[in-house]
Amino acid sequence: MLRRDFMRLSALGLLSLSPLVNASATHAHRHGSPAADPLLTRQLPEQLPLRKLPNITNLSADDGFRAQLQAAVTHVELTGPEKTRLWLYNQQLTPLIEVTEGDEVSIQVENHLHQPTTVHWHGVHVPANQDGGPHDLIQPHQQRHYQFRIKEGNAGLHWFHPHPHDYLAEQIAHSLAGAFLVHPKHDPLADLQGELLMITDLRLDQQGQVAPHTPEDWMNGREGDLLLVNAQRNPRLEAAPGSTLRLRLINACAGRYLRLAIPQHALQLIGTDGGYLEQAVTLNELLLVPGQRCDLLVRLSEQPEQQIQLLNLPYDRDWMGQEPAHYRETETLLTFVTQAAPVQAAITLPDRLGSIPELAEPAVQRHIELSEEMPGHADHAAGGMAAGHAQHHGHGHGHNHGHGQHSTQVQDSARPPIRFMLNGETFTPGKILFEGRVNEVEEWEVFNNSHMDHPFHVHGTHFQVVAEQDEQGHWHAPAYRAWLDTVNLKPKQRLKLRLAFAEPGEWMFHCHIIEHEEMGMMASIRVS
């Protein structure tokens, strides 16, 4: 949808900002808190020592990993004096599960929330019935046992988060997510110290509570005022001058794009969603979109007592409506400080980090289109929007889980009448868009037929981008080969992805802007 279409809908009253005011006022009345106040961003301290991700306790006395995971409301002291009500796993902000290739994993999940949830193991190759998709809900006060083996070749930084349709945006907004690190059995960089950085964001009201969604959130994907690294605002990491740091990052934000750069320092990309690249790639900056991970090396300045910033540079993904205050600002994610210590020598990387074999010629070719639809738009069939939105809106109001009913109604009351679609349809639980076969190589040509960027995510496998189309319509091979499970598509861009599913079952694929997924940009393939 173009900006002029947004203005046209606003003039018709369909995207009036009054729902934002009303929703916030209703939330304030029900929860005893006034509307959102961006001044809270100044109340979180900066430059505290970088916090390590807290480990989920491994209860196994033998090899492997066994744990209990509880999703529950947790009161956290963020801005004080009133504690913030977040929804966390095991009462921990940004927790970490740490395993090794070949491990047997057994996790008992208890849902203490007032609404259904799941746990999706994003990037981890598991059987379909362990994937935690929206068709496999854990109802409130119920349990679910996940059990799977970590396959060899699945090493890398992954993460876990909920995936229940109609509830996901609220759960992510309340910080329900964690990191999942799989160590390789044989690691060429085992001796190189690394830092795990989980990037999230929050928006709080004047009482320090999670603020409700706005119409702009649903249209664009929610971006919070507080940009956090390991649940901290601009933490500090000290190291000797000349140190080579390994930084492994997860973009766990609902909609925020991270355009990463360190001034006067080159970035060496050594890994992506699916683990190591074959060789390091030197970059000035890297775009990390929602759902993606990266593995970076950076050699700090040889000058002692220097402050060096890891920055998030502005990235315009064609925002609809009023832009957030931070949208065109450069933000500091993390500050490195070089110590008054001897200079560390540069390291030498192995000639080959990993192996990424080229996939065979595809037996199946598919076309996937990402699009959006609004009432009365000439480019789309008339009437489809209104019917679809009414059905979804009614479904949202049908939930009845006590306090959760308030929250869902407030959330849904802000949803504008826009549908986000895959191949002209919004997500319908149980509907299968494609049929596939195990281990059969497929090529998907994905077309972003919309005005804004979309990060495209596939469950159950990793893929390779084999061709990308430029603005003139010419196809080019990517600069390097990588295993990905999430990739960005710019407006009107086409990509060719090659993949194969090793496990049978139903697998989701969708936009990883959480609100777009919630509003319909998701579908399933059934593999047999």
Side-chain angles (χ1 to χ4, degrees), residues 19-36 85 170 174 203-213 403 406-408 410-411 413:
L20 167 59
V21 177
N22 292 339
S24 298
T26 301
H27 186 272
H29 175 73
R30 288 173 175 163
H31 299 279
S33 59
R85 294 185 298 272
E170 190 173 16
H174 283 78
R203 186 186 309 136
L204 305 178
D205 62 21
Q206 287 180 340
Q207 297 301 315
Q209 304 307 316
V210 175
H213 272 61
H403 170 75
H406 292 182
S407 181
T408 303
V410 171
Q411 297 271 355
S413 68

Side-chain angles (χ1 to χ4, degrees), residues 12-231:
L12 292 173
L14 294 174
L15 289 183
S16 169
L17 292 182
S18 58
L20 167 59
V21 177
N22 292 339
S24 298
T26 301
H27 186 272
H29 175 73
R30 288 173 175 163
H31 299 279
S33 59
D37 182 359
L39 293 179
L40 277 173
T41 60
R42 300 193 184 100
Q43 296 182 16
L44 280 186
E46 296 187 59
Q47 301 269 329
L48 294 178
L50 177 66
R51 165 183 178 266
K52 298 288 187 180
L53 298 183
N55 281 85
I56 297 292
T57 303
N58 185 2
L59 302 175
S60 176
D62 305 315
D63 292 339
F65 184 86
R66 180 172 62 86
Q68 293 179 339
L69 210 59
Q70 294 182 346
V73 175
T74 304
H75 294 81
V76 178
E77 187 174 337
L78 287 178
T79 58
E82 182 174 324
K83 291 186 177 181
T84 302
R85 294 185 298 272
L86 299 179
W87 303 354
L88 303 178
Y89 294 116
N90 290 13
Q91 301 184 327
Q92 295 175 318
L93 285 158
T94 59
L96 169 66
I97 292 174
E98 202 165 355
V99 298
T100 301
E101 286 179 313
D103 281 354
E104 293 289 340
V105 175
S106 176
I107 300 177
Q108 184 75 15
V109 177
E110 299 177 2
N111 179 14
H112 294 280
L113 302 175
H114 58 271
Q115 54 185 232
T117 191
T118 77
V119 181
H120 168 53
W121 315 102
H122 184 130
V124 185
H125 292 169
V126 300
N129 63 1
Q130 304 297 308
D131 187 54
H135 47 280
D136 193 12
L137 297 175
I138 309 170
Q139 296 298 332
H141 313 298
Q142 298 297 313
Q143 300 182 3
R144 167 72 156 85
H145 183 223
Y146 292 96
Q147 188 162 0
F148 48 87
R149 180 179 175 274
I150 303 295
K151 296 182 177 181
E152 293 195 21
N154 197 200
L157 179 58
H158 313 303
W159 61 305
F160 58 99
H161 60 82
H163 216 303
H165 193 55
D166 278 337
Y167 304 93
L168 177 57
E170 190 173 16
Q171 293 181 17
I172 292 294
H174 283 78
S175 302
L176 194 61
F180 197 114
L181 178 62
V182 179
H183 294 282
K185 280 191 172 181
H186 307 287
D187 190 349
L189 299 180
D191 295 332
L192 183 60
Q193 182 181 2
E195 300 291 343
L196 300 182
L197 307 177
M198 189 164 183
I199 316 300
T200 59
D201 55 6
L202 272 174
R203 186 186 309 136
L204 305 178
D205 62 21
Q206 287 180 340
Q207 297 301 315
Q209 304 307 316
V210 175
H213 272 61
T214 68
E216 283 88 355
D217 289 337
W218 289 112
M219 290 185 293
N220 301 285
R222 182 180 174 106
E223 294 195 13
D225 303 316
L226 296 169
L227 182 60
L228 305 175
V229 177
N230 296 0

Side-chain angles (χ1 to χ4, degrees), residues 38 55 65 81 94 122 145 234 244 258 296 303 337 349 377 444 502:
N55 281 85
F65 184 86
T94 59
H122 184 130
H145 183 223
N234 183 19
T244 298
L258 302 175
L296 298 173
Q303 296 298 314
V337 178
L349 291 175
H377 195 289
W444 293 10

Side-chain angles (χ1 to χ4, degrees), residues 37 39 132 176 202 205 257 348 371 374 382 391 403 414 439 513 527:
D37 182 359
L39 293 179
L176 194 61
L202 272 174
D205 62 21
Y257 277 45
T348 301
S371 63
M374 58 183 244
Q391 180 181 11
H403 170 75
N439 294 326
I513 291 176
V527 177

Side-chain angles (χ1 to χ4, degrees), residues 122-123 157-159 249-250 272-273 288 291-294 462 485:
H122 184 130
L157 179 58
H158 313 303
W159 61 305
L249 296 92
I250 306 170
T272 55
D273 299 339
L288 195 71
Q292 278 188 328
R293 289 85 67 210
C294 68
H462 286 89
D485 55 50

Side-chain angles (χ1 to χ4, degrees), residues 367-372 380 421-425 433-434 445-450 456 494 509 521:
H367 293 269
I368 298 169
E369 180 180 283
L370 313 177
S371 63
E372 55 202 36
H380 299 285
M421 300 177 291
L422 277 174
N423 285 16
E425 300 182 16
L433 184 60
F434 298 132
E445 183 176 314
V446 186
F447 174 38
N448 180 7
N449 189 20
S450 79
F456 183 71
R494 297 177 188 267
F509 51 96
M521 194 172 273

Side-chain angles (χ1 to χ4, degrees), residues 14 20 25 151 283 289 307 321 326 334 345 370 387-388 414 418 507 528:
L14 294 174
L20 167 59
K151 296 182 177 181
L283 304 168
V289 303
Q307 292 199 4
H326 64 261
L334 175 69
L370 313 177
I418 297 174
W507 298 106
S528 57

